[in-house]
Amino acid sequence: MSSFRWPRISLFWFLAGLALQPACKEQKTVEANAIEGNWVIDLNALQRSPKFLAEPEEKREVILGIMTKMADSMTFRITDEQIIVGSEGKEQATPYRVEKKEKEEWVLITFPKQGQPEENRVRFDGDVLILIGKNTEFALKRQNKAPK
């Protein structure tokens, strides 16, 4: 068993690079606070993604093993002001603002502690939230609504 530990930001972009994209349902307007809540990695969406299925069997097994461990320990809590990634008892919060809303896709600007603000997109598919970065996508499934 390796003692390698992913730096949080590298872990985030590794997840993003897996390009998870479940099939979209019909177009509809999303509630103003739809992004808020507790989310976890959607392993089912991973296993259905075209990018994952295009990988050789051996590589899919490795990716699924890593993602399963990450799914067991990572959480994403989104409030009206922050995206909070939790892992191994630690949390890292990144402020954001909603720049634009277009039906089920929103443009977010995130403000990392180090570096420049970044544009990201989120797309909604029922209780699946698809986070879209530079040439990357991954999916989260809702655990519960954010407390009021």
Side-chain angles (χ1 to χ4, degrees):
M1 184 79 134
S2 172
S3 63
F4 176 77
R5 294 174 58 128
W6 286 82
R8 285 189 199 118
I9 195 70
S10 296
L11 183 60
F12 177 80
W13 287 115
F14 174 79
L15 286 173
L18 290 176
L20 303 179
Q21 186 175 1
C24 289
K25 295 179 175 54
E26 65 184 65
Q27 299 262 337
K28 61 183 175 186
T29 303
V30 177
E31 295 177 30
N33 64 348
I35 193 172
E36 296 175 32
N38 296 311
W39 303 85
V40 295
I41 296 168
D42 189 339
L43 291 173
N44 290 327
L46 166 66
Q47 293 177 63
R48 291 190 313 264
S49 80
K51 185 173 183 178
F52 178 80
L53 293 171
E55 295 291 349
E57 178 67 28
E58 303 80 33
K59 190 169 182 180
R60 287 195 311 254
E61 289 176 17
V62 170
I63 292 169
L64 187 58
I66 292 168
M67 293 301 294
T68 299
K69 288 178 185 177
M70 291 170 54
D72 288 341
S73 65
M74 286 189 76
T75 59
F76 298 79
R77 184 166 37 105
I78 303 176
T79 69
D80 62 343
E81 297 178 343
Q82 296 183 2
I83 300 171
I84 304 155
V85 179
S87 180
E88 299 178 3
K90 298 177 184 173
E91 291 185 335
Q92 180 174 344
T94 302
Y96 78 94
R97 78 166 182 263
V98 177
E99 187 76 9
K100 182 169 59 170
K101 296 179 183 179
E102 295 176 346
K103 296 190 179 182
E104 80 281 350
E105 186 170 297
W106 295 2
V107 175
L108 306 180
I109 304 297
T110 56
F111 302 94
K113 289 181 182 179
Q114 298 178 357
Q116 298 295 314
E118 299 172 3
E119 181 179 297
N120 298 277
R121 295 180 178 272
V122 295
R123 189 170 56 239
F124 299 89
D125 184 11
D127 275 346
V128 174
L129 176 68
I130 304 161
L131 301 175
I132 306 163
K134 294 179 184 178
N135 301 318
T136 60
E137 297 185 10
F138 74 100
L140 302 175
K141 62 183 174 182
R142 184 182 296 280
Q143 290 299 293
N144 54 42
K145 301 274 184 186
K148 296 289 178 193

